[in-house]
Amino acid sequence: MAASIRNERGTVIILLTLFLFLLLCFVAFGTEAGRWFLVRAELSKSVDAAALAGARNLANPHVDPAQVALDFGRENFPPGAHGSASTGAVFTAQLENGDRIEVSGQATSLPIMARLLDVDEVVVGSGAMAQKREAEIMMILDRSGSMVGTPIANLKTAAKNFLDHFAATQDRDRVGLISFNTLARVDRPMGSDFVTPMKTAIDAMQAISFTNTDDAILLADGPDGFTDQSDMPGERRVQQFVVFFSDGMPTAFHDAFMRNGVRYEAIVLAATNTIGGCAGF
């Protein structure tokens, strides 16, 4: 009987040892899995930011979008971050079809308790792809008298440099041109293949007269301006932007008034309190 009890005690000790070992393994795995998840989650954020940064610069002729993506990835996930190896993460970026960029990242998580199981490192990875969305941009340029000389020269240079960003995507993006002084006009309706003709129109501008910004902005929503997307589903809508170049405050405005039962619209010149143009309706 005594020998049987001693044998059972030995069995219990063996089972308890195995149980404690398994429990230690589960604790180690749970702890390390949390660290791996943290490293991968932060790596995914860095890869996403890198892809978005690269996509925003796909049409930028002054930078390499792949290099921009790599710089963003490394900046957001420095060496040793979140318990990763001090050698840092490895990022790669690749352009596809000129309008998409694919970024991948790989980092090494350094284990703590898992070393007891002879696990020295765990490699985690993440990938992301971002695409440049099509855009509609209305450029509105000030050609009023205050722009004479250096200001109008600087405006022309800046506007043409801006157009260069879309030289590679002008078959898909749509850009229009409005200029204004006392009167606003559409120099080029919203459309594609715009870089060369718009640069020609910009070079021909002369600075003169008052500054009527209101009419220029209203033209952007006119028949030659932005596409009406009110009935389009969200996934089919394009991004729409107004890029406004000016050096000062308006000195003319468009207003309506009644006289003898007739409604008139006029452009009022603020500096002289005179009516620049009038039409009855």
Side-chain angles (χ1 to χ4, degrees), residues 25 28-29 31-32 36 111-120 122:
C25 289
F29 177 76
T31 302
E32 299 305 339
W36 302 337
I112 299 178
M113 298 187 68
R115 292 182 183 276
L116 299 174
L117 304 177
D118 201 28
V119 177
D120 294 326
V122 176

Side-chain angles (χ1 to χ4, degrees), residues 206-227:
Q206 295 183 349
I208 190 173
S209 195
F210 291 83
T211 309
N212 177 9
T213 60
D214 289 350
D215 282 355
I217 294 173
L218 289 174
L219 283 177
D221 276 329
D224 294 323
F226 292 119
T227 301

